[in-house]
């Protein structure tokens, strides 16, 4: 029985990206519907994520101005 191939982390990530891209291309409607439903189900997460993102953005904007 042949041994199982061992992939490096980089190869594994690349294979995963390629498989994900092919799946999304083949099942675009299904993926889009799933993503919309996930966003509706997890709107609290998005609210918190956006709040944190904006806070960081404002902070870097302020520090960026101060250094210029």
């Amino acid at each position: 029985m042949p041994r199982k191939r061992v992939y490096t982390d980089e190869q594994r990530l690349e294979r995963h990206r390629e498989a994900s891209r092919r799946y999304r291309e083949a099942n675009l409607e299904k993926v889009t519907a799933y993503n919309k439903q996930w966003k509706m189900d997890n709107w609290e997460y998005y609210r918190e994520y956006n709040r944190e993102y904006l806070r960081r953005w404002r902070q870097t904007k302020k520090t960026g101005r101060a250094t210029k």
Side-chain angles (χ1 to χ4, degrees):
M1 193 159 105
R3 292 184 61 170
K4 189 174 179 182
R5 169 121 188 240
V6 178
Y7 294 101
T8 65
D9 287 346
E10 198 171 299
Q11 288 171 324
R12 196 169 40 80
L13 281 172
E14 188 57 40
R15 287 169 55 87
H16 172 73
R17 286 188 199 111
E18 182 60 27
S20 290
R21 187 187 62 75
R22 273 184 277 148
Y23 179 84
R24 283 193 309 272
E25 280 180 2
N27 300 290
L28 190 59
E29 295 85 12
K30 190 192 290 187
V31 171
T32 302
Y34 175 84
N35 288 342
K36 283 182 183 176
Q37 186 62 46
W38 195 94
K39 285 179 182 178
M40 289 192 315
D41 293 345
N42 296 283
W43 63 271
E44 298 98 343
Y45 166 81
Y46 272 102
R47 186 178 64 185
E48 198 59 38
Y49 174 82
N50 286 332
R51 183 181 297 145
E52 181 64 20
Y53 179 84
L54 286 173
R55 186 187 68 75
R56 286 192 185 144
W57 181 78
R58 287 187 198 105
Q59 187 135 12
T60 57
K61 194 172 159 189
K62 284 179 189 171
T63 57
R65 270 195 199 151
T67 56
K68 287 182 182 174

